[in-house]
Amino acid sequence: MKAYVVKARAKLGNLPNLINYKNLIGEQDLYRKFDKVKQLHPSLQKIKDIDQVEHELDFEISRNIKSLSYFLNGYEEEFFEKYVSAFEIRLIQNVIQGILNKSLNNSLYLFTNNPFSKNLVIKKDMKFEDFVASLKNTRYHRTLVPFLNENMSKDSMIFLISNSLTKFYFRDLLDYSSKFPKDLAKKIRIFIGKEIDLYNIEMLYRLISYFDLPAYEIFNYLIEGGYKLKAYKLKKLSNMTIDKFKKEMKETPYGHIFSGIFDINKALMEEKHKIYKDLSKEDNVLYLIYAVNLLVISNNNIISILNMDDSFTKEEQESLIVTG
């Protein structure tokens, strides 16, 4: 077994389990709950303020990524770096949103102290063109340059830039998969294709539900390369009302997302978890992707639990925890 798989399994063995989560939910006193969280995450021992938890867990993810990638090299290392660049891209999206909303300075400390900001230049009162220029020698520059001369509302700019960066991210992963041996390349494309499917489902649901857009415009926001939802299917779905969309989706392999057992966001998270768990039997770089996503899900569960108060019933709190 590869050394990085052994290391990843050891890290996953330390994650909170369902019993841990239920014990946390059952704790009514916030400070005792906070102390229990610290016991589950030794890296939080020095944290005194609950508001610092999310920030410190981000650093824990960053350290784990560095640790997991230690034994990688060649195209495995580069693919893994491309996959986890999602954290950096998410930060870029947030910085751009702050710049365009003229609220960058309010979050400047959080942005500059984010563990995934080391390759970014983020300064007080920075303008959008300055931020794009600072990314000139990065893989993101070409995606952002076309927006420098756009004349549209800030909300439209924020949405389109975020969408373009996400498209670049997934297309880049699909293109790079060809460097792997044929069998592994196929597994990688299937996995990335499933992630694209879920992104498209979420995008379709939101755009059809809340915006009055022509079908061609909705389709342009989607990403081709999905595993089960191919371009012809996406075009068809883009031209439906929300009720027809839900009905049509129930005839696809993702129909259970619209079964009504969970709300759409919870159902999508559960489906993502299932996709990640499909990688748990791999003995290659896909296992590291499984590990990273489980670490993220675990951290999100902890943050959700700490943010829940007595306005949530125990059943409601348990329903918000993603366990797969």
Side-chain angles (χ1 to χ4, degrees), residues 260-312:
I261 298 174
F262 302 122
D263 66 51
I264 182 68
N265 292 322
K266 167 72 172 178
L268 283 167
M269 278 305 303
E270 292 287 351
E271 185 63 20
K272 287 177 184 178
H273 198 182
K274 290 177 184 176
I275 290 172
Y276 302 143
K277 287 186 74 174
D278 288 343
L279 307 180
S280 62
K281 295 180 181 179
E282 296 292 334
D283 184 21
N284 50 56
V285 70
L286 285 173
Y287 190 88
L288 292 192
I289 289 174
Y290 161 69
V292 168
N293 281 297
L294 256 64
L295 290 167
V296 170
I297 288 171
S298 175
N299 286 354
N300 289 341
N301 283 340
I302 292 295
I303 293 166
S304 294
I305 289 171
L306 286 174
N307 286 329
M308 294 173 189
D309 55 29
D310 55 12
S311 65
F312 292 83

Side-chain angles (χ1 to χ4, degrees), residues 55-278:
H55 185 62
E56 181 55 36
L57 289 178
D58 283 342
F59 273 94
E60 188 174 71
I61 285 289
S62 178
R63 290 190 292 268
N64 280 325
I65 287 173
K66 185 176 180 179
S67 174
L68 290 173
S69 63
Y70 181 78
F71 294 102
L72 291 175
N73 54 63
Y75 52 77
E76 281 191 327
E77 180 179 19
E78 189 162 353
F79 178 78
F80 186 63
E81 288 177 353
K82 286 177 180 292
Y83 187 83
V84 298
S85 71
F87 296 99
E88 185 177 54
I89 289 173
R90 193 171 300 120
L91 178 58
I92 290 172
Q93 291 168 330
N94 289 335
V95 170
I96 291 173
Q97 182 174 342
I99 290 172
L100 295 179
N101 281 330
K102 300 187 184 305
S103 61
L104 175 66
N105 294 347
N106 297 337
S107 303
L108 191 63
Y109 177 82
L110 290 176
F111 290 158
T112 55
N113 286 277
N114 186 292
F116 300 99
S117 69
K118 64 181 185 299
N119 296 320
L120 305 178
V121 177
I122 310 170
K123 296 180 179 179
K124 183 178 179 180
D125 298 323
M126 201 172 200
K127 297 183 183 303
F128 176 61
E129 53 266 31
D130 296 328
F131 185 60
V132 174
S134 75
L135 296 169
K136 186 174 182 179
N137 295 320
T138 72
R139 52 203 284 265
Y140 312 116
H141 187 253
R142 181 179 294 183
T143 300
L144 296 174
V145 164
F147 293 98
L148 290 175
N149 298 316
E150 288 289 348
N151 183 20
M152 63 179 73
S153 70
K154 64 181 181 181
D155 289 340
S156 295
M157 278 277 284
I158 290 168
F159 174 80
L160 288 173
I161 289 170
S162 179
N163 182 248
S164 293
L165 285 169
T166 302
K167 283 184 175 181
F168 160 76
Y169 170 74
F170 281 120
R171 287 170 179 167
D172 193 38
L173 288 173
L174 287 175
D175 288 345
Y176 199 83
S177 67
S178 63
K179 294 185 180 293
F180 287 84
K182 186 176 180 180
D183 289 346
L184 182 52
K186 182 179 179 180
K187 290 180 180 180
I188 289 172
R189 285 194 292 271
I190 288 173
F191 166 67
I192 299 301
K194 289 178 179 179
E195 287 205 312
I196 291 172
D197 280 347
L198 294 185
Y199 175 84
N200 285 334
I201 290 170
E202 185 175 9
M203 184 66 73
L204 281 163
Y205 178 79
R206 289 180 177 178
L207 292 177
I208 294 173
S209 296
Y210 304 114
F211 299 91
D212 184 17
L213 298 171
Y216 76 87
E217 192 170 342
I218 292 175
F219 178 73
N220 285 340
Y221 297 142
L222 306 179
I223 304 173
E224 294 186 55
Y227 178 51
K228 292 293 185 181
L229 303 181
K230 303 299 183 183
Y232 73 90
K233 185 68 171 181
L234 295 176
K235 285 183 179 179
K236 183 179 179 182
L237 292 168
S238 298
N239 199 30
M240 294 182 176
T241 64
I242 189 60
D243 290 335
K244 287 184 178 179
F245 168 73
K246 290 179 180 179
K247 183 177 180 181
E248 186 75 15
M249 282 303 305
K250 288 180 180 179
E251 303 302 317
T252 73
Y254 300 106
H256 53 282
I257 292 175
F258 297 90
S259 66
I261 298 174
F262 302 122
D263 66 51
I264 182 68
N265 292 322
K266 167 72 172 178
L268 283 167
M269 278 305 303
E270 292 287 351
E271 185 63 20
K272 287 177 184 178
H273 198 182
K274 290 177 184 176
I275 290 172
Y276 302 143
K277 287 186 74 174
D278 288 343

